[in-house]
Amino acid sequence: VQLQASGGGLVQAGASLRLSCTASGRTFGDVNMAWFRQAPGKDHEFVAAISWVPDKTSYADSVKGRFTISRDSAKNTAYLQMSSLKPEDTAVYFCAANSRTRLRIGVQMAEYAYWGQGTQVTVSS
């Protein structure tokens, strides 16, 4: 099982980016998927998660209204659309997935079994 994150880059404040997380090795249509991030010198931070239940999502307060998580189960891919980016959004972004179906959307790293390798997002002021 592998998660491949992509789409990071260097942008100016106010710009947008879309991250992708493509899964392989099994289907993920019936599990929750999430994005976390780690800024330099800081711990990992929950960003957003999406349930296998339609239209059920969760966001960190710091990104609410600016970021949108979505998924395309047919492509086994989750997305994170990031708008109005700020310098404080600079971090390595990681995607994650549950190993089994859960009703509750987890916001802790320990709740996710599968992880991607991370993609760097740098926002300049």
Side-chain angles (χ1 to χ4, degrees):
V1 176
Q2 188 174 20
L3 299 180
Q4 181 73 38
S6 61
L10 171 62
V11 298
Q12 290 188 328
S16 299
L17 275 177
R18 189 178 80 157
L19 306 183
S20 299
C21 175
T22 301
S24 60
R26 59 159 283 183
T27 59
F28 283 84
D30 60 348
V31 299
N32 301 334
M33 299 185 73
W35 289 92
F36 289 77
R37 67 186 181 185
Q38 186 177 28
K42 296 187 177 181
D43 291 334
H44 284 81
E45 173 190 24
F46 169 77
V47 176
I50 186 166
S51 172
W52 57 275
V53 176
D55 301 322
K56 185 177 179 181
T57 57
S58 179
Y59 294 93
D61 287 342
S62 59
V63 307
K64 203 171 291 184
R66 299 188 298 121
F67 291 10
T68 302
I69 189 171
S70 61
R71 66 192 299 166
D72 185 335
S73 295
K75 296 182 178 179
N76 231 17
T77 299
Y79 304 97
L80 184 68
Q81 178 67 49
M82 305 184 295
S83 302
S84 302
L85 283 162
K86 304 176 182 179
E88 51 263 44
D89 294 318
T90 294
V92 178
Y93 284 70
F94 300 87
C95 61
N98 285 151
S99 59
R100 58 185 178 87
T101 301
R102 298 186 178 194
L103 285 177
R104 176 182 170 277
I105 294 180
V107 299
Q108 302 294 330
M109 292 180 63
E111 298 178 86
Y112 293 88
Y114 303 117
W115 289 86
Q117 84 288 1
T119 184
Q120 176 71 47
V121 173
T122 303
V123 184
S124 63
S125 57

